[in-house]
Amino acid sequence: MITRRTLFIWITAAAVLIAGVLVAGFAATKTPAMAYKDQDGTRFTFKTDGDRFMRYEKDGGWKEMFVKGVNLGATVPGHFPGELPATEEDYLRWFKQIDEMGANVIRIYTVHQPVFYSALVKYNKDKGSDPLYFIQGIWSPEEQLIERQDAYADDIGKQFKDEIKKAVAAVYGDVAVSPKYGASSGEYTANAGKYLMAWHVGTEWDPGMVKNTNEKHGGVPVYQGSYFAGTKDASPFESWLAELLDYTAEQEKQYGWEHPVTFTNWVTTDVLSHPGEPLFEEDMVSVDARHIQPTGWKGGYFAAYHAYPYYPDFFRTDASLQTIKDQQGNFNTYKAYLRKLKAQFKDMPVMITEYGVPSSLGVSHFGAGGRDQGGHNEREQGEIDASLTRDIYDEGYAGAILFMWQDEWFKKTWNTMPFEIPADRRAYWINVLTNEKMFGLLGMVPGKEKQIVIDGSLSDWDGLPQGEVKHWQGKMEGIRDMRITHDEGYLYLGIRLDKNFDPATTKLYIGSDTIAGGNEPSAAQLPGKKLEGGAPETLIEIGKDGESQVEIAADYDFHARLYGKEGYWMLPETKPGQDKPFHPWKLAISLQMNPPDTRFAHPFIDQTIGMLRRGTTDRGKAEFDSLTSWQYRGNEIEMRIPWMLLGFADPSSLQVIDYRPLKDRRAFSTVTTEGIRLIPWLVEQGGSKVSWPGGAAKTLNVRDIAPYTWKPWDTVHYSEQLKQSYDAMKKVYAELGGKK
């Protein structure tokens, strides 16, 4: 990495001085963001003052501001973060949408490609004194820190400083970075320094690593730098951080600017104690921003926390947080936590730089008052995100930066991660059971979401390109036609019956057979009939609201296998003869924990996730629900079924979970399926009359049904969609004072 600053040293001193005068004069007349200039020429746009975050105004004074923003990722569907695929067109579109929402800042986690900085400068060109700012994050050597469990080990500090140096030079358009896999590179020529709001150093700290670092390096002297230093109470890890903040300041000072500095922190390593937290590691060690102080940095310093209302578990289990109730009478433990935390920082600004909930079908943690990690449609997501923003504002914080701007298909979640195989193909499909993928205000929706509206009418299916829809080849009384298609998120079924569908009198079942095995439906589900030559792994049941669902064969049940006797032994054993052939499709929410491994016993918690919500995906309708799975109108039924509910570990390569016993480390195996054999039948509610592909016969050979199949894909099709949560955040930002 060679900076042009280094190269310029070799140019004649006179030329440098002349160029410097010209550039300074141009900047003074053209800089759209007003900046304060200190006696030594250092420029400031932002600073901290006590517990306030301040912005220099065009009238020449400093004014307190509430920072409102979103975290912005560096990827799009079909790509992983290290590929950094976003284009100038992407950035300019996103900047405009974020700006129109009322945010005043974007936070990025790491150095983006040069196009990010040039696009931001281009976007702000005509914004005058009201530009869109950004906070530059600097990624830590996270994997090495976790692996070595020692911040002082090997060359971790050097790697971190190299990344800091790169980040500062990139922001000021003064570096050429050689290509390196998984990292940004290229010619950074756009000076975006005047649009910088702050530096955000590091990532969430592993508590075991922090504890071990402190214990192993107890004799390390407290760091004392030119711009930042540790206090007498600083731990060895906090001293290590002080040196990195000092190095950040030192690098920026070369460019004649000072901006506020912070380091990343999270609830796990906060400064509070949580007696109601069952896991020791979630309350094991603190990283305290008060133990670092600026010694010669006028730009200022603030504390930053990632804080969600459902993690760690103490948001549900700690009685000491059950002090404030919301309008519904539920305890607002998040607001109580914010109040306790802010009380520790009376003389320092604090920002919550990550918070929010996803608009996903899947759930992975429960929060108090329904603020769960998942299980929300877009409207509910927006209501919760807005309420969390108000809590942060009301409790006197300096800023709130929502997670996240865009959905991220590559993300993973602990309770679906064992079923997403192979892991290196997660970015090629969207698993709506994985909540981490769907935090965005900007939805990255799969290919057919805007082509097929789930509303009970099949008319829009006629507009799909030729060859993308297949017709079920079987014949049966009661079903005139069944169309099948798919995209990166769902299997779509469009069914036309011989007569109008009435869930009060009729149930529609569709068995899904992907591999050898499966279970015979019960006598109640398929009265008087038998399948041979195969059986369903999963069973779609369409009937009354509250009973429509996807169930999974008992022997195939991922959940029961992983958390039952084959895996973690957290589920009770079913007595012989009592088990049903199909189970509700469930996800684990919290694992069973007992002393001495934990402070107190904590039960195993799971949730049925296979229920199918009837509604519409028509955004023009007031009853729009982003989690809609099916709808009917007259004699037409249409549905979209998430891939994982059908047993798929990766639909892009036709991989399904198989029946083999779990491998070492409780890992599942997959097999390539030839496709999905769909077996539909109709049953009278409460009766025994069945209409099925076998006609009058008592048995049906499943192998006689042609499978629906498709070619593997490596290129994804998706479109962007502003969610209802975008409008909710736009509204709350306006209520909190617009842009200032």
Side-chain angles (χ1 to χ4, degrees), residues 310 358 360 364 373 403 407-408 411-414 433-439:
Y310 42 73
S360 61
S364 64
Q373 187 176 0
F403 185 86
D407 287 345
E408 299 178 298
K411 285 289 188 72
K412 57 189 177 183
T413 302
W414 71 274
L433 272 62
T434 300
N435 64 81
E436 281 285 344
K437 299 177 186 290
M438 303 184 72
F439 271 89

Side-chain angles (χ1 to χ4, degrees), residues 482-737:
M482 182 163 72
R483 307 182 196 184
I484 314 166
T485 190
H486 71 277
D487 65 11
E488 293 80 0
Y490 304 92
L491 178 76
Y492 294 82
L493 301 176
I495 302 167
R496 182 170 289 119
L497 305 178
D498 288 335
K499 61 181 182 179
N500 288 351
F501 180 64
D502 183 358
T505 61
T506 307
K507 275 189 180 180
L508 168 66
Y509 289 93
I510 304 173
S512 169
D513 178 31
T514 54
I515 53 176
N519 277 11
E520 188 78 22
S522 70
Q525 294 166 328
L526 185 58
K529 307 292 185 181
K530 294 290 183 183
L531 300 173
E532 59 183 25
E537 275 67 48
T538 56
L539 184 61
I540 303 167
E541 178 180 345
I542 299 295
K544 301 173 186 176
D545 294 347
E547 65 182 14
S548 298
Q549 63 179 310
V550 177
E551 293 188 304
I552 188 165
D555 294 340
Y556 190 59
D557 188 347
F558 312 161
H559 180 72
R561 290 160 65 190
L562 184 58
Y563 297 108
K565 62 181 181 180
E566 188 180 338
Y568 290 99
W569 284 87
M570 293 184 182
L571 291 171
E573 287 194 68
T574 303
K575 295 180 181 179
Q578 290 188 342
D579 200 12
K580 295 181 179 180
F582 286 88
H583 291 169
W585 219 114
K586 294 184 177 183
L587 281 178
I589 305 298
S590 185
L591 302 182
Q592 180 179 318
M593 298 175 282
N594 292 297
D597 297 328
T598 57
R599 283 176 172 167
F600 52 85
H602 192 279
F604 179 80
I605 301 173
D606 58 16
Q607 183 181 50
T608 297
I609 211 72
M611 303 307 298
L612 301 179
R613 190 178 302 193
R614 185 166 66 89
T616 181
T617 60
D618 185 346
R619 291 181 176 272
K621 302 293 185 182
E623 60 270 27
F624 164 77
D625 188 333
S626 61
L627 296 186
T628 291
S629 293
W630 76 284
Q631 185 57 281
Y632 73 96
R633 187 188 304 177
N635 69 331
E636 294 182 336
I637 305 171
E638 63 179 340
M639 65 188 79
R640 57 177 186 175
I641 308 298
W643 284 114
M644 185 162 281
L645 291 185
L646 297 173
F648 280 83
D650 172 37
S652 71
S653 61
L654 282 82
Q655 295 295 301
V656 294
I657 300 291
D658 68 14
Y659 287 90
R660 281 176 285 179
L662 299 184
K663 299 182 292 188
D664 291 343
R665 304 178 67 86
R666 299 179 176 90
F668 287 90
S669 303
T670 67
V671 65
T672 303
T673 180
E674 61 177 319
I676 308 173
R677 285 184 167 85
L678 296 167
I679 314 144
W681 67 89
L682 295 163
V683 179
E684 285 186 351
Q685 288 272 19
S688 59
K689 184 179 179 182
V690 176
S691 175
W692 77 324
K698 297 292 186 182
T699 62
L700 172 69
N701 192 322
V702 174
R703 304 299 297 180
D704 291 340
I705 296 176
Y708 173 76
T709 192
W710 57 93
K711 293 181 180 180
W713 70 77
D714 292 317
T715 300
V716 304
H717 299 91
Y718 72 96
S719 58
E720 296 181 358
Q721 175 63 58
L722 290 173
K723 299 181 184 179
Q724 289 177 316
S725 49
Y726 174 90
D727 297 321
M729 291 304 297
K730 184 175 185 177
K731 183 174 184 291
V732 76
Y733 281 162
E735 292 172 356
L736 299 183

Side-chain angles (χ1 to χ4, degrees), residues 289-562:
R290 298 170 299 182
H291 295 167
I292 301 172
Q293 60 185 9
T295 53
W297 193 249
K298 297 177 184 178
Y301 171 57
F302 63 99
Y305 280 91
H306 297 173
Y308 295 87
Y310 42 73
Y311 183 82
D313 281 330
F314 69 72
F315 281 102
R316 287 190 299 111
T317 59
D318 194 337
S320 69
L321 292 180
Q322 296 174 3
T323 57
I324 303 173
K325 288 190 175 183
D326 60 24
Q327 293 180 346
Q328 289 72 42
N330 299 311
F331 285 113
N332 187 340
T333 59
Y334 188 71
K335 190 178 183 73
Y337 172 81
L338 292 174
R339 185 169 297 178
K340 282 190 172 187
L341 183 65
K342 182 63 178 70
Q344 299 295 314
F345 293 91
K346 296 180 179 178
D347 300 318
M348 181 187 297
V350 189
M351 290 190 197
I352 302 300
T353 54
E354 267 194 29
Y355 69 101
V357 299
S359 62
S360 61
L361 181 64
V363 185
S364 64
H365 290 96
F366 286 150
R371 291 166 156 182
D372 304 332
Q373 187 176 0
H376 311 293
N377 61 25
E378 292 177 12
R379 176 185 56 78
E380 294 161 343
Q381 178 197 28
E383 290 172 351
I384 296 172
D385 283 351
S387 70
L388 295 172
T389 306
R390 291 189 190 95
D391 286 346
I392 295 167
Y393 180 84
D394 290 344
E395 292 304 317
Y397 282 72
I401 302 179
L402 185 74
F403 185 86
M404 181 70 179
W405 171 243
Q406 79 269 47
D407 287 345
E408 299 178 298
W409 288 15
F410 74 91
K411 285 289 188 72
K412 57 189 177 183
T413 302
W414 71 274
N415 62 353
T416 56
M417 190 166 58
F419 316 136
E420 293 177 327
I421 309 169
D424 62 2
R425 296 196 65 82
R426 287 194 187 103
Y428 297 108
W429 63 294
I430 181 166
N431 183 8
V432 297
L433 272 62
T434 300
N435 64 81
E436 281 285 344
K437 299 177 186 290
M438 303 184 72
F439 271 89
L441 300 178
L442 179 68
M444 298 292 186
V445 300
K448 289 189 172 66
E449 182 150 326
K450 291 188 177 181
Q451 295 174 295
I452 297 178
V453 175
I454 304 299
D455 61 358
S457 171
L458 305 185
S459 59
D460 48 3
W461 287 64
D462 297 331
L464 293 176
Q466 187 175 5
E468 289 195 9
V469 177
K470 295 183 181 179
H471 293 263
W472 184 67
Q473 297 299 304
K475 294 182 179 180
M476 63 169 277
E477 182 183 353
I479 293 184
R480 188 181 307 171
D481 180 37
M482 182 163 72
R483 307 182 196 184
I484 314 166
T485 190
H486 71 277
D487 65 11
E488 293 80 0
Y490 304 92
L491 178 76
Y492 294 82
L493 301 176
I495 302 167
R496 182 170 289 119
L497 305 178
D498 288 335
K499 61 181 182 179
N500 288 351
F501 180 64
D502 183 358
T505 61
T506 307
K507 275 189 180 180
L508 168 66
Y509 289 93
I510 304 173
S512 169
D513 178 31
T514 54
I515 53 176
N519 277 11
E520 188 78 22
S522 70
Q525 294 166 328
L526 185 58
K529 307 292 185 181
K530 294 290 183 183
L531 300 173
E532 59 183 25
E537 275 67 48
T538 56
L539 184 61
I540 303 167
E541 178 180 345
I542 299 295
K544 301 173 186 176
D545 294 347
E547 65 182 14
S548 298
Q549 63 179 310
V550 177
E551 293 188 304
I552 188 165
D555 294 340
Y556 190 59
D557 188 347
F558 312 161
H559 180 72
R561 290 160 65 190
L562 184 58

Side-chain angles (χ1 to χ4, degrees), residues 224-303:
Q224 299 294 319
S226 300
Y227 303 108
F228 284 91
T231 69
K232 61 181 179 61
D233 297 318
S235 68
F237 182 77
E238 290 159 353
S239 271
W240 180 78
L241 274 177
E243 182 177 359
L244 294 168
L245 300 188
D246 187 55
Y247 186 75
T248 304
E250 176 187 300
Q251 291 300 304
E252 184 178 42
K253 191 69 173 178
Q254 299 177 59
Y255 294 95
W257 281 86
E258 291 190 24
H259 288 91
V261 179
T262 190
F263 65 84
T264 304
N265 208 352
W266 61 324
V267 175
T268 296
T269 52
D270 68 10
V271 298
L272 302 173
S273 61
H274 306 288
E277 169 55 45
L279 293 179
F280 292 115
E281 58 265 32
E282 297 293 355
D283 195 29
M284 183 168 64
V285 67
S286 292
V287 179
D288 195 336
R290 298 170 299 182
H291 295 167
I292 301 172
Q293 60 185 9
T295 53
W297 193 249
K298 297 177 184 178
Y301 171 57
F302 63 99

Side-chain angles (χ1 to χ4, degrees), residues 57-338:
E57 297 293 316
K58 59 185 178 182
D59 62 4
W62 290 92
K63 182 179 178 181
E64 181 181 4
M65 72 177 298
F66 181 70
V67 174
K68 301 171 292 189
V70 290
N71 289 276
L72 177 70
T75 191
V76 295
H79 297 274
F80 287 87
E83 299 175 53
L84 300 158
T87 65
E88 180 183 82
E89 183 182 359
D90 292 329
Y91 284 126
L92 291 175
R93 181 175 63 257
W94 296 343
F95 294 160
K96 185 174 188 294
Q97 291 167 331
I98 292 169
D99 203 7
E100 290 175 347
M101 184 174 63
N104 48 37
V105 72
I106 294 166
R107 176 196 172 197
I108 57 175
Y109 290 89
T110 189
V111 179
H112 283 219
Q113 293 288 76
V115 66
F116 168 82
Y117 305 93
S118 60
L120 187 64
V121 171
K122 183 176 182 177
Y123 177 77
N124 281 327
K125 181 179 179 181
D126 299 319
K127 291 284 291 174
S129 61
D130 186 30
L132 182 63
Y133 292 100
F134 75 108
I135 292 177
Q136 178 66 59
I138 304 175
W139 200 259
S140 71
E142 187 177 34
E143 292 183 3
Q144 294 92 323
L145 285 167
I146 293 174
E147 179 182 350
R148 296 304 305 272
Q149 291 289 290
D150 181 1
Y152 288 90
D154 297 335
D155 64 343
I156 288 177
K158 180 182 181 304
Q159 289 182 53
F160 209 157
K161 286 185 176 179
D162 286 347
E163 189 65 18
I164 290 170
K165 186 175 183 179
K166 170 185 172 181
V168 175
V171 165
Y172 287 96
D174 187 35
V175 67
V177 182
S178 300
K180 180 181 177 182
Y181 179 76
S184 56
S185 62
E187 293 275 349
Y188 291 82
T189 59
N191 185 344
K194 54 184 167 290
Y195 304 121
L196 182 68
M197 180 178 284
W199 300 101
H200 206 300
V201 179
T203 46
E204 295 171 346
W205 311 114
D206 175 67
M209 179 274 295
V210 175
K211 186 173 185 289
N212 185 68
T213 297
N214 290 338
E215 292 174 349
K216 190 173 182 178
H217 300 280
V220 171
V222 172
Y223 179 79
Q224 299 294 319
S226 300
Y227 303 108
F228 284 91
T231 69
K232 61 181 179 61
D233 297 318
S235 68
F237 182 77
E238 290 159 353
S239 271
W240 180 78
L241 274 177
E243 182 177 359
L244 294 168
L245 300 188
D246 187 55
Y247 186 75
T248 304
E250 176 187 300
Q251 291 300 304
E252 184 178 42
K253 191 69 173 178
Q254 299 177 59
Y255 294 95
W257 281 86
E258 291 190 24
H259 288 91
V261 179
T262 190
F263 65 84
T264 304
N265 208 352
W266 61 324
V267 175
T268 296
T269 52
D270 68 10
V271 298
L272 302 173
S273 61
H274 306 288
E277 169 55 45
L279 293 179
F280 292 115
E281 58 265 32
E282 297 293 355
D283 195 29
M284 183 168 64
V285 67
S286 292
V287 179
D288 195 336
R290 298 170 299 182
H291 295 167
I292 301 172
Q293 60 185 9
T295 53
W297 193 249
K298 297 177 184 178
Y301 171 57
F302 63 99
Y305 280 91
H306 297 173
Y308 295 87
Y310 42 73
Y311 183 82
D313 281 330
F314 69 72
F315 281 102
R316 287 190 299 111
T317 59
D318 194 337
S320 69
L321 292 180
Q322 296 174 3
T323 57
I324 303 173
K325 288 190 175 183
D326 60 24
Q327 293 180 346
Q328 289 72 42
N330 299 311
F331 285 113
N332 187 340
T333 59
Y334 188 71
K335 190 178 183 73
Y337 172 81
L338 292 174

